[in-house]
Amino acid sequence: GFNVFIVLFIWRVLLGFGIGGDYPLTATIVSEYSSVHNRGKMMAAVFAFQGFGNVLAPIMGIIVTACFKNSIDRDVEYLDYVWRIIIGVGCIPGVATLYWRLTMKESDRFQRLNNNDSATSLITAGSENEKLLVAPEDANEAAESPSFVEHGVGQTLSASLALEEARRPRQLKSFGQYFGEWKHMKVLLGTSIAWFALDVAFYGINLNSSIVIGAIGFAGSISTDKPSKFIIRNCLGNIIINILGSVPGYWISVFTIERIGRKKIQLIGFGALTVLYLILGFGYHQILDKSSGVFIFLFSLAQLFQNFGPNVTTFVIPGEVFPTRFRSTAHGIAAASGKLGAIVAQGGFLQLTDIGGKNAWINRLLQIFALFMMIGFVVTFWIPETKGKTLEEICDESEEYI
């Protein structure tokens, strides 16, 4: 039969296709359905539920481990049942939402764009949801129609402006032509590199938080403690870190993103993470020698600024800064760049953890992560602020793309 790691690899690849499609589609649909005043909050709230999943996963680990406690302590091979059950339970949320995902409609903005040929002009006014698609020859009629006034467009856009907009020469650009212009390419690079830089540290630490928890002595010793106790302590450590840092960080972003702005939150997050990882990296041994509690506090603070910072904004911003025709594809490129960062962290840097002894290189890894946070901080300046702007204002939808 297949080696279990080969089976897991195959299923993880398939999962990657699913998540790879879900990230950009979720962000794009929420972005295009939301109004200008709550778009960021809605997108951040959708993403913030990831925090609850991060807490429920170790809770599930504690429950299943406790059920097999006596068996595990007698024979550690029973852990095989534990991880299989935990992974299986992870299917339940996906299956529960499958029907709604399959029956979810495309946004009106995307449907209208798809249903109109290249001769159609997009006229935007007032609010994101107050717009019409009209052919150039119908511009006068559209500007005077009851529906034009009824939707509030007539109050903010005169018929002459509508006619001028309709008659503007259209620039038909392909994906390659659009991103061939530096002003557009730098936004795609900014969102992609920022997500890549974040995920090097985010997955490098979060997927291996048990290493950090073990290194500071919170989990106990695998050689002296019973296996079930060691696992439960690891799970408990993950819960504490998530509740102290990750979950509050997500929801601080949700409730401040429309006031502070996406770009500023991302800069705050990357800046704080750079400082915190430098402190944790260069002061690693000194901090641990004085107090593991201080280390957990600083580590949890870093988790907070991951989520009150780039982990949320790298998801939100790519759903806003690209034209409707390219929005989902460009968001997918940025998200894929992030997962490339996760591969670099797992396949590269985390292999260096035990250089010089057990967990002896963790301080160096934290220093490396600080460098990547600095890179994320710098490229954020390539990204425009989207707070308070309609998608059309952000992306200049007066141009048309094919």
Side-chain angles (χ1 to χ4, degrees):
F2 279 119
N3 181 290
V4 66
F5 291 106
I6 295 174
V7 175
L8 282 174
F9 174 80
I10 292 169
W11 284 110
R12 292 293 292 182
V13 169
L14 292 175
L15 177 66
F17 279 108
I19 299 300
D22 195 72
Y23 260 59
L25 285 176
T26 300
T28 300
I29 287 172
V30 175
S31 172
E32 294 180 359
Y33 267 117
S34 304
S35 74
V36 67
H37 301 297
N38 70 1
R39 187 179 63 235
K41 183 186 291 186
M42 294 292 287
M43 295 174 75
V46 167
F47 195 68
F49 276 84
Q50 186 182 77
F52 294 133
N54 290 340
V55 174
L56 285 172
I59 289 174
M60 197 66 221
I62 290 174
I63 293 170
V64 178
T65 303
C67 291
F68 284 84
K69 181 179 182 299
N70 294 330
S71 299
I72 294 169
D73 291 341
R74 283 197 312 270
D75 183 357
V76 75
E77 292 292 327
Y78 276 92
L79 281 173
D80 190 59
Y81 296 104
V82 172
W83 73 261
R84 289 176 189 273
I85 292 170
I86 292 170
I87 289 178
V89 170
C91 296
I92 295 173
V95 171
T97 59
L98 186 61
Y99 172 77
W100 289 283
R101 296 298 275 121
L102 292 174
T103 57
M104 186 179 292
K105 292 182 179 179
E106 296 283 5
S107 70
D108 289 342
R109 178 183 272 101
F110 183 82
Q111 289 188 59
R112 288 176 180 176
L113 182 69
N114 254 15
N115 291 338
N116 285 270
D117 59 23
S118 59
T120 303
S121 294
L122 182 63
I123 299 178
T124 306
S127 137
E128 286 195 310
N129 295 320
E130 295 168 346
K131 57 194 175 300
L132 290 172
L133 284 167
V134 296
E137 60 268 26
D138 297 330
N140 280 325
E141 180 184 344
E144 298 168 0
S145 70
S147 63
F148 193 82
V149 177
E150 178 186 333
H151 284 83
V153 180
Q155 299 173 10
T156 55
L157 188 66
S158 66
S160 60
L161 181 58
L163 184 60
E164 179 185 344
E165 189 76 24
R167 287 176 174 170
R168 180 184 296 179
R170 293 175 301 281
Q171 303 173 35
L172 302 181
K173 296 182 181 179
S174 68
F175 184 94
Q177 289 172 320
Y178 178 81
F179 288 107
E181 299 176 24
W182 173 244
K183 65 178 181 178
H184 299 140
M185 174 55 79
K186 75 176 182 180
V187 178
L188 182 60
L189 287 174
T191 55
S192 299
I193 295 172
W195 207 333
F196 172 86
L198 166 74
D199 277 7
V200 169
F202 184 83
Y203 285 96
I205 287 176
N206 286 23
L207 290 185
N208 298 276
S209 53
S210 58
I211 293 175
V212 177
I213 292 166
I216 64 178
F218 183 85
S221 172
I222 195 168
S223 58
T224 58
D225 291 330
K226 291 182 177 180
S228 61
K229 180 183 176 182
F230 181 79
I231 293 165
I232 289 171
R233 290 277 294 178
N234 261 297
C235 291
L236 186 60
N238 275 283
I239 293 169
I240 292 170
I241 289 170
N242 276 290
I243 289 176
L244 287 177
S246 295
V247 174
Y250 280 115
W251 291 98
I252 292 171
S253 288
V254 172
F255 293 115
T256 62
I257 197 165
E258 299 296 357
R259 291 197 298 273
I260 298 177
R262 291 71 153 148
K263 186 173 181 177
K264 191 175 290 185
I265 287 177
Q266 186 157 307
L267 287 170
I268 290 169
F270 273 131
L273 287 167
T274 302
V275 173
L276 286 166
Y277 286 144
L278 285 172
I279 293 171
L280 287 169
F282 286 101
Y284 181 80
H285 296 292
Q286 297 91 320
I287 295 170
L288 279 181
D289 288 343
K290 286 191 175 182
S291 171
S292 60
V294 172
F295 188 93
I296 291 174
F297 170 75
L298 291 172
F299 190 75
S300 297
L301 197 60
Q303 300 288 97
L304 186 145
F305 278 108
Q306 279 183 343
N307 296 310
F308 175 50
N311 192 36
V312 169
T313 55
T314 52
F315 175 83
V316 173
I317 292 171
E320 300 179 311
V321 293
F322 303 110
T324 302
R325 194 177 294 277
F326 305 142
R327 187 168 292 123
S328 188
T329 301
H331 191 289
I333 291 171
S337 300
K339 297 307 164 277
L340 181 61
I343 293 171
V344 169
Q346 288 292 294
F349 294 136
L350 264 298
Q351 306 304 311
L352 309 176
T353 305
D354 294 330
I355 291 178
K358 183 68 174 175
N359 296 327
W361 231 67
I362 287 182
N363 60 327
R364 301 295 183 206
L365 287 178
L366 290 166
Q367 294 166 19
I368 292 171
F369 294 158
L371 174 62
F372 278 93
M373 297 304 95
M374 195 179 297
I375 292 170
F377 183 87
V378 172
V379 299
T380 297
F381 288 100
W382 293 351
I383 301 167
E385 178 55 71
T386 58
K387 180 186 74 170
K389 296 179 181 178
T390 67
L391 294 178
E392 287 70 35
E393 288 172 332
I394 298 164
C395 311
D396 188 14
E397 293 273 14
S398 60
E399 293 182 313
E400 291 190 13
Y401 314 103
I402 58 175

